[in-house]
Amino acid sequence: MLYQGPLPAPYPTLTDDELVERIQKLKQELGSQCVILAHHYQRPEIVALSDYRGDSLQLARFAAQNSQSQYVVFCGVHFMAETADILKTGQQVVVLPDLGAGCDLADAADADDVAMAWDDAVGMLGHDDIMPITYVNSTAALKSFVASHHGVVCTSSNADKIVNYALKNHKVLFFYPDEHLGRNTSKKLGVPLSQMRLWDPKKPQGGLLPSDLENVRVLLWKGCCPVHQMFTVKQIDHIRTKDPEFKIISHPECSMEVVDKSDMSGSTDFIVRTIAQSSPGSKWAVGTELNLVNRIAKENSDKTVVSLNPFMCLCGTMNRIDLKHLCWALDQIKLGTPQNVISVGDPDRSLAKKALSRMLEMS
Ligand code: SF4
């Protein structure tokens, strides 16, 4: 994770009202020169000031199609800003308002560790008919590695399609960096657990023996999202005992046990649409990031929407983007000295673009 020092005066002492007023004025002055994108997990006040909000796939598509604005202010985490920079079609400058907005899941798979594991896996399997797939929540360097081994990126919206393609066309798939999304998706597509193996990068040869890889179809990199890891089967049991009318809907970054026990599971966009389309009066306990759950609850006031975990925390890194940082980032753009510019250099840029474009074509 990168680090950003404290903001200069006057930002730390401005009130929220002053900051909102200043941001709105800056937005007017910058006009179409600047677009503000916000991920669904952002704070409500940031989403309210954004021009476009969405999940990873929607924001990736937007970055690929938008060439009008000179500046893209990305209110999300570092790998998302990298993705926007890689997919942009013009000379836009992508700015992340706080460099500390990283992602623990993306940090779980270092591209050099993945490259070493790949060589080990090829040696242990005795063949290289392996398709690498990385979840979009990964560094540009890992996306680049995946492209250089004829692999592809996926999101939670299109993981079914992409994993299915890999299973049909290759002997083995190696899924990074989220073991839960890899396991949940492969299981849904009919791969038994006995044909999946967890690759622990902290152990020599992933903690596996060549004999463990006989009949293996799916290798799962040991990594997870600390936010989605917090949901448990016990919470599901508790809510169902209290009120059996509650339907449980979870994100596939949750553990297999939680996904299996949920009534349904799917991407952020799936969760938003499913609850929006449900009948008035319905009750939902949601296993995903809290800012999003609170927003869904607000936008569906005719339904009951709660977090599956009553003691849930926000995603700490997403939450780093606040009014102060957004205001500072826009001021710097207005002054002609944009800060925190996210720019991916070659060869990672062109290779990662290949893996991302392939994903967009396959989605
Ligand atoms: S919720 Fe999890 S996967 Fe998403 S940005 Fe936060 S740490 Fe990363």
Side-chain angles (χ1 to χ4, degrees), residues 280-337:
S282 55
K283 297 179 181 180
W284 295 91
V286 189
T288 194
E289 204 275 341
L290 190 56
N291 268 327
L292 175 61
V293 178
N294 290 339
R295 188 167 318 111
I296 297 174
K298 205 169 161 200
E299 289 171 357
N300 291 271
S301 51
D302 55 340
K303 298 151 202 165
T304 305
V305 181
V306 298
S307 172
L308 176 56
N309 178 356
F311 306 108
M312 190 66 193
C313 303
L314 301 162
C315 169
T317 49
M318 279 278 181
N319 218 40
R320 289 189 70 103
I321 311 289
D322 56 12
L323 291 172
K324 293 178 175 59
H325 284 85
L326 178 58
C327 187
W328 170 76
L330 292 172
D331 265 332
Q332 294 303 312
I333 289 173
K334 181 79 199 325
L335 290 168
T337 52

Side-chain angles (χ1 to χ4, degrees), residues 39 41 76-77 79-80 102-106 135 137 178 224-228 253 288-289 314-318:
H39 188 268
Y41 296 174
V77 292
F79 76 81
M80 296 179 181
C103 165
D104 291 339
L105 174 57
Y135 190 23
N137 298 26
D178 185 4
C224 66
C225 161
V227 174
H228 289 89
E253 284 175 30
T288 194
E289 204 275 341
L314 301 162
C315 169
T317 49
M318 279 278 181

